[in-house]
Amino acid sequence: MKYIFVTGGVVSSLGKGLTAASLGTLLENRGLKVVLQKFDPYLNVDPGTMNPYQHGEVYVLDDGAETDLDLGHYERFTNCKLTRLNNLTSGQVYQTVLNNEREGRYLGKTVQVIPHVTDEIQNRIHLLAEESKADVMITEIGGTTGDIEGLPFLEAIREFALEVGVHNAMFVHVTYVPFIKAAGELKTKPTQQSVAKLREIGIAPQILVCRCERPLDKELRQKISLFCNVPYNAVVEEKDVDHSIYEVPLMLQRERVDDLVCEQLRLDVPAPNMTHWQEILRKIIAPQHRVRIGVVGKYIELQDAYKSVYEAVGHGGVANDCGVQIQKVDAEEIEREGAEKVLKGVAGVLVPGGFGERGIEGKIQAARYARENHLPYLGLCLGMQIATIEFARNVLSLPKAHSTEFDPQTPHPVIAMLDEQTRVTRKGGTMRLGSQPCQLAVGTRAARLYGAFVINERHRHRYEFNNAYRQSFEKEGYVISGVTPDGKLVEVIELATHPFFIASQFHPEFHSKPHQPHPLFRGFIAAALARTNGK
Ligand code: GLN
């Protein structure tokens, strides 16, 4: 087993996760079994309780773990299967250490950061190494070098690398080389300082991935090499991508990062075959067709709140050789201006997941607009609940219909809390979470798209379609096309007389990859394209 540790310097948001994931892509394409892991230095036990302003999207795994969004990159860029073992926070480490202490496992010793916290971190590396049976494990350390919270993680990986030996572990440091306008040049000082900080801790990176807006010339590479004590060819340029994040693996391949890793770790494997990846990129950069999709949410100003949704929409585009322009629509703008005005010109409407009341009426108006104008609609989790409320109000003529999440007193609670949730008071890991089977009905659009009758998809919700209303909905052409195997929970719905109106209680976006676009997104973009082309 070989270990690669990815750290970050100078500033956050450098795309360490993308770099780690892209390295994973290259190594996987060289025939290696790769596993990726993320360490997050914050004290929350997981990001499940943080709001999107703090943390962006919460990425849900098959086993129901609520994790950092970088794990989404790991799953999209590689074929590795992730579980709760793949994301470790300081909160989890301390929780374990403190529980051990209360159980008397430290035999009366003083419990300290070194060795007890650092050992616990190393245990997690060993545990995942055993479970995954991978050839290479890539561990990304969240945060920036110099953060107080990050220190125990850096100390732990330093010790770990020492233990496994020079050809079994290596350090890749992702750093920033800013362009200073007034001077008209790229500056290397922040990189020098962040590497110095790492070396102070005892970590000497073997590869420096330099994030920059402009190309790193020879002179700058030489300077960084000299001052940071890294070989010249291991000073790697990672420029901002022009079109797509899926360019990053090819960029790293051009810089021969995978060769450097294989040399350092004594991995004798063939060069990667990236032709399929190049073809994906071709479809993103120079697609045959184009469509515009409106995504109606309440965190549209944030880059990361609907990360997996935006990615999956793009994959749906790849499947149709179609470039997708995403119009991010603020649900509250629809409330102010009306759906017609705001959504004019989009070929499909997508309402993603969400919590809380803000923007709900705007989303309901968007669903109505899509239904009445035969505009393709894809609803994800809250997006299915919204479509249901809209249908109740405007087709079943129950104007006060609502979800009890937003109006506990509604006379028509068409969306209501799951039974199992009514007794839950604790936050964090308590929703209906993770992969669950769903049975699709014969003859439905959902079954046609999936090409299967039993599917597994990931969930994260507390509310659900209220079964008391099933018959009245079905009579009016609201088709319940997917249910749990016991028939109790509605999982997928669609409209019988609409070219494409489909919504799921689960989150299909978490299962989509550029090389395996998700069927619902593929179908959605195909329908939007057909509309654009007037078919
Ligand atoms: N707020 C809704 C629920 O809890 C939807 C959740 C979601 O979209 N993830 O059921």
Side-chain angles (χ1 to χ4, degrees):
M1 181 97 190
K2 308 285 184 177
Y3 303 88
I4 302 169
F5 296 103
V6 179
T7 56
V10 185
V11 287
S12 58
S13 304
L14 276 185
K16 267 194 318 275
L18 276 176
T19 305
S22 301
L23 183 55
T25 311
L26 290 175
L27 296 177
E28 202 170 79
N29 279 287
R30 294 182 76 132
L32 294 163
K33 183 160 193 256
V34 176
V35 63
L36 288 116
Q37 177 180 42
K38 171 104 195 256
F39 288 164
D40 278 311
Y42 50 72
L43 284 169
N44 301 64
V45 171
D46 60 46
T49 53
M50 287 188 233
N51 81 32
Y53 285 107
Q54 294 282 312
H55 194 270
E57 157 188 288
V58 173
Y59 188 77
V60 182
L61 303 180
D62 279 335
D63 70 354
E66 297 175 281
T67 70
D68 184 80
L69 56 80
D70 277 321
L71 277 83
H73 293 312
Y74 303 168
E75 286 201 325
R76 287 188 281 272
F77 277 73
T78 71
N79 292 307
C80 73
K81 283 265 160 278
L82 305 179
T83 69
R84 58 184 71 246
L85 285 182
N86 297 64
N87 192 191
L88 179 68
T89 66
S90 290
Q92 287 168 30
V93 177
Y94 281 99
Q95 199 172 43
T96 311
V97 169
L98 295 177
N99 285 340
N100 287 346
E101 188 271 340
R102 291 289 87 174
E103 284 165 19
R105 297 220 195 145
Y106 298 118
L107 302 172
K109 291 208 180 88
T110 307
V111 181
Q112 295 180 296
V113 172
I114 306 172
H116 301 103
V117 168
T118 46
D119 279 357
E120 197 47 51
I121 296 169
Q122 291 182 44
N123 280 346
R124 184 59 85 86
I125 305 175
H126 285 301
L127 196 62
L128 185 59
E130 270 163 40
E131 291 268 323
S132 67
K133 307 211 167 27
D135 304 309
V136 182
M137 179 158 150
I138 304 175
T139 302
E140 176 194 347
I141 320 297
T144 309
T145 317
D147 294 348
I148 292 177
E149 298 106 334
L151 284 174
F153 289 98
L154 295 177
E155 170 62 15
I157 61 173
R158 182 193 68 79
E159 291 175 13
F160 188 94
L162 185 69
E163 188 188 306
V164 297
V166 273
H167 296 305
N168 294 320
M170 68 182 294
F171 297 97
V172 175
H173 188 56
V174 183
T175 174
Y176 184 46
V177 183
F179 177 76
I180 304 297
K181 244 206 205 134
E185 51 183 48
L186 291 167
K187 290 293 185 186
T188 66
K189 190 75 78 196
T191 294
Q192 295 176 39
Q193 283 171 345
S194 91
V195 173
K197 195 100 212 142
L198 269 184
R199 289 165 66 194
E200 209 174 278
I201 300 163
I203 292 176
Q206 282 96 352
I207 297 178
L208 286 182
V209 176
C210 302
R211 294 280 292 106
C212 46
E213 284 170 59
R214 315 224 167 171
L216 270 189
D217 63 22
K218 198 170 157 201
E219 234 172 274
L220 275 172
R221 289 190 200 227
Q222 276 167 344
K223 190 167 172 189
I224 294 174
S225 159
L226 184 69
F227 285 107
C228 299
N229 200 35
V230 172
Y232 174 80
N233 63 352
V235 178
V236 168
E237 170 192 293
E238 192 185 294
K239 254 187 7 146
D240 294 350
V241 290
D242 294 326
H243 307 280
S244 156
I245 55 171
Y246 301 111
E247 288 171 52
V248 180
L250 299 174
M251 209 176 225
L252 295 183
Q253 187 189 20
R254 274 197 300 278
E255 292 281 305
R256 310 192 52 177
V257 177
D258 53 321
D259 289 341
L260 291 166
V261 167
C262 290
E263 264 164 48
Q264 172 70 31
L265 297 178
R266 304 282 192 269
L267 287 161
D268 186 15
V269 283
N273 179 353
M274 298 296 286
T275 31
H276 70 294
W277 202 265
Q278 277 153 350
E279 181 54 18
I280 291 169
L281 257 190
R282 203 274 305 149
K283 288 183 183 158
I284 295 174
I285 296 170
Q288 302 256 337
H289 315 279
R290 294 203 183 262
V291 291
R292 174 130 55 103
I293 297 295
V295 174
V296 183
K298 70 168 176 178
Y299 295 111
I300 41 122
E301 73 282 15
L302 301 180
Q303 284 280 4
D304 286 345
Y306 305 114
K307 188 113 211 152
S308 296
V309 173
Y310 296 150
E311 290 305 316
V313 167
H315 305 159
V318 169
N320 288 285
D321 204 343
C322 176
V324 185
Q325 187 195 343
I326 294 179
Q327 182 175 327
K328 299 174 181 173
V329 179
D330 181 356
E332 286 172 289
E333 192 186 335
I334 296 185
E335 290 169 12
R336 286 190 304 270
E337 310 279 334
E340 168 124 37
K341 182 161 172 220
V342 182
L343 294 173
K344 208 153 108 200
V346 304
V349 172
L350 189 154
V351 177
F355 297 83
E357 214 186 333
R358 183 163 68 84
I360 290 295
E361 291 302 324
K363 292 176 188 175
I364 293 173
Q365 287 180 40
R368 177 177 195 170
Y369 180 77
R371 181 178 56 78
E372 290 182 343
N373 293 286
H374 285 177
L375 193 58
Y377 178 90
L378 182 61
L380 313 175
C381 202
L382 177 67
M384 181 188 112
Q385 301 176 356
I386 291 285
T388 304
I389 298 164
E390 190 281 315
F391 196 87
R393 288 185 185 178
N394 302 315
V395 180
L396 305 187
S397 305
L398 305 171
K400 294 210 165 105
H402 221 322
S403 160
T404 53
E405 178 179 5
F406 313 119
D407 178 6
Q409 310 306 332
T410 169
H412 298 291
V414 291
I415 303 291
M417 194 178 258
L418 285 158
D419 269 353
E420 67 199 41
Q421 286 287 325
T422 51
R423 288 167 297 278
V424 174
T425 50
R426 275 168 74 95
K427 298 273 183 271
T430 56
M431 286 185 240
R432 177 172 179 242
L433 285 166
S435 182
Q436 316 265 347
C438 163
Q439 188 91 40
L440 298 178
V442 180
T444 57
R445 182 183 296 279
R448 271 200 307 283
L449 287 171
Y450 275 94
F453 294 113
V454 180
I455 55 166
N456 285 281
E457 293 281 11
R458 297 178 187 174
H459 296 72
R460 184 173 187 252
H461 66 118
R462 291 200 166 88
Y463 295 81
E464 181 65 50
F465 183 91
N466 182 346
N467 287 329
Y469 290 89
R470 271 201 200 187
Q471 274 185 348
S472 40
F473 271 73
E474 283 178 318
K475 259 200 275 167
E476 299 299 329
Y478 175 104
V479 179
I480 295 175
S481 44
V483 291
T484 45
D486 62 8
K488 287 195 179 140
L489 301 179
V490 173
E491 297 276 53
V492 191
I493 65 106
E494 54 192 75
L495 297 185
T497 55
H498 189 288
F500 189 99
F501 194 108
I502 190 160
S504 66
Q505 188 53 74
F506 47 73
H507 289 271
E509 68 271 24
F510 295 140
H511 270 162
S512 190
K513 300 173 192 259
H515 44 290
Q516 288 158 29
H518 191 284
L520 292 183
F521 288 89
R522 180 179 28 114
F524 176 53
I525 300 299
L529 187 56
R531 183 179 172 99
T532 304
N533 294 341
K535 281 182 203 145

